[in-house]
Amino acid sequence: MIELALGIAIIVQDQSSLRAAPRDSAPAHTLLWQGEALEVRGERLDYVQVYDHRRERAGFVRASQVRRFKLTPQEAPELLALLRFLDGTPGAEALGIGLAAAYLQAAPKAQLQGEAGAEALDALGGFAERLARRASPRALQTRETQAITAAHLDVAARYGVHFTTHDYEGRMILCYEGDAYRRVLALPSTAPQRSRAVLGLTRPECGGADLPPQKQRQLDEWRAEVLDKVEVDALPPTRRNRVLMRRAAVWASLAFQRARQGEAAQPAIRRALDSLASVRPTELAEDDRRTYAEAAIRVNASRWAAAPAVQPDPKALRIETLAEESGETCVLLMDATSNAERPLARRCTFAVVWPASATTNREGTALALAVQPTETWRELWVFRKSPAGWRVQVLPPASSFPEIGYAEFAGWVPGGKQVLAAREASVSGQRTRSFEVLRLDNLATIRRAGEPGALSAFQKWQDAAWRQHTLSLR
């Protein structure tokens, strides 16, 4: 930003022409976009004479297409009022960023370190985050819309507002880097301002899924710390639910990461379960219902971390785990006649194995086990006795590779030929949930329904422990 005697002019209208002379018929040097700041050098008729330092070009802009400021402390209240007016206005994000930058330059230092400074930075973060979301649409945009959005991103970049790119749900999205939000957390901000800041800083789609496990854990530990600093009881119901849902998702991720590193995961998943249970579904905004469903999927994927360790009966069908030097965990299927050297079946994985989930049918011919490859994806392994020996089959959350999802055991059907399962997944933004009766020999679906009550097998044979602890029945 430039501070001169004649001040600056901030463009308020997209595609404003920078002309060679103060008349409409003069050639246009370039098109200007809302939020751009130009040095004012004078007035001619109903035009403002300006200089564009970025393009190194002088010219004239219609006075009605700009707002002029001298960036004095006396103008700070006016700039703050304009920020309040624009807050939440669709399409005005670049203009809001320009006005926020002007306020931060005009306001006295003492004011910037107080409530007004926190309000301005909160607004700046909000403008930047909404611009990033506008640049990451789910539907196709017209060329004109794409050009406008690209121009606004360019304006934001000139003010030092940075964005990062991530692959999410099969598409590329932009995320605001979050500098303004971090400054809000360091100032005497209100609970709603802090909640907006932490929600902007902890978006799961902006978490860097390509990070190494240790870096991902450090990020989630920091996320959990800042989320816990928000006083949810001081928030409006909708904002309170959003913070609680984000807490649940982050703590569920931490439960998986701690379990993968051999640490106690039970406290983390308890935090996740408690946070999700504190959400009031009747106070969810329409746009938040998908977020609530995804938070529940994330928590349910790691819920076996809450189960206490159990000592299996050495005389019964059971599993034992063996850690390999490669980092894999080998699952050994055992009974009273087998040992670690000669198990009934053996399968190794880099995923987290939840031994407490192991359950056998009453015929002793099958065992179900929860195995979690990632923090948001849990599979169901089924060991089955066949004429050729014991085999293991894997039931994924969905037939296609999901971003988040789980497949879980829901009960044994007497006779040793069928098993009940619940599956839920989010694939490319589309959520599916089903309750299924499966053939035990190949895990093919015999019957499927959206609710367990629609299947007679679920009414008769669903597992009591599953019904008590699963989140699929929410």
Side-chain angles (χ1 to χ4, degrees), residues 117-427:
E119 183 180 357
L121 288 167
D122 175 43
L124 175 58
F127 290 130
E129 185 177 0
R130 285 193 295 276
L131 180 56
R133 290 181 185 274
R134 182 152 64 91
S136 310
R138 293 183 178 277
L140 292 176
Q141 292 182 323
T142 64
R143 289 187 177 181
E144 181 181 4
T145 301
Q146 291 175 348
I148 293 173
T149 303
H152 289 183
L153 288 170
D154 184 55
V155 171
R158 296 180 214 169
Y159 290 106
V161 176
H162 301 296
F163 300 92
T164 56
T165 305
H166 302 271
D167 185 2
Y168 181 70
E169 294 183 347
R171 60 193 178 95
M172 298 304 294
I173 66 169
L174 283 185
C175 294
Y176 171 48
E177 179 269 340
D179 180 68
Y181 282 149
R182 291 185 180 87
R183 292 170 184 258
V184 169
L185 297 179
L187 292 173
S189 48
T190 64
Q193 289 169 348
R194 298 179 75 82
S195 70
R196 283 190 290 270
V198 298
L199 288 173
L201 290 168
T202 60
R203 289 176 60 189
E205 61 268 37
C206 300
D210 54 346
L211 290 176
Q214 191 58 38
K215 293 289 186 181
Q216 182 65 50
R217 175 169 175 177
Q218 291 173 0
L219 176 61
D220 281 338
E221 294 280 7
W222 178 82
R223 286 172 164 176
E225 181 182 352
V226 296
L227 282 164
D228 284 347
K229 291 180 179 179
V230 178
E231 299 175 5
V232 293
D233 293 335
L235 298 175
T238 299
R239 183 70 60 175
R240 175 183 181 275
N241 278 343
R242 289 173 182 169
V243 173
L244 289 170
M245 290 186 291
R246 188 64 55 78
R247 278 184 185 173
V250 171
W251 279 108
S253 175
L254 279 174
F256 169 80
Q257 292 165 20
R258 291 177 182 179
R260 182 169 57 182
Q261 296 180 10
E263 301 177 21
Q266 196 172 60
I269 197 61
R270 286 296 178 195
R271 292 293 305 275
L273 290 166
D274 291 345
S275 296
L276 193 67
S278 298
V279 174
R280 300 167 185 166
T282 58
E283 296 176 343
L284 283 172
E286 189 68 27
D287 293 341
D288 291 335
R289 296 194 177 278
R290 177 188 171 191
T291 304
Y292 177 64
E294 291 189 354
I297 295 175
R298 290 172 180 271
V299 175
N300 202 40
S302 299
R303 72 173 175 85
W304 277 109
V310 293
Q311 190 65 31
D313 183 356
K315 298 181 181 180
L317 188 65
R318 68 192 187 280
I319 64 108
E320 293 184 7
T321 58
L322 180 66
E324 296 286 330
E325 292 184 1
S326 63
E328 288 184 295
T329 298
C330 290
V331 179
L332 311 180
L333 182 66
M334 314 274 283
D335 65 6
T337 64
S338 58
N339 54 47
E341 285 72 29
R342 300 187 65 181
L344 300 175
R346 174 189 174 104
R347 184 175 179 127
C348 299
T349 177
F350 285 102
V352 172
V353 178
W354 300 111
S357 69
T359 177
T360 60
N361 64 355
R362 67 184 185 182
E363 293 81 9
T365 58
L367 179 144
L369 179 68
V371 178
Q372 190 172 351
T374 73
E375 61 196 46
T376 60
W377 181 22
R378 175 157 58 88
E379 302 170 338
L380 177 65
W381 285 14
V382 179
F383 292 84
R384 183 185 66 86
K385 189 176 183 179
S386 70
W390 285 88
R391 299 173 52 201
V392 58
Q393 300 177 88
V394 177
L395 182 70
S399 55
S400 57
F401 189 83
E403 283 80 22
I404 60 174
Y406 61 83
E408 62 182 4
F409 164 83
W412 297 109
V413 177
K417 294 183 178 181
Q418 296 177 357
V419 62
L420 307 180
R423 295 202 281 180
E424 188 172 10
S426 177
V427 182

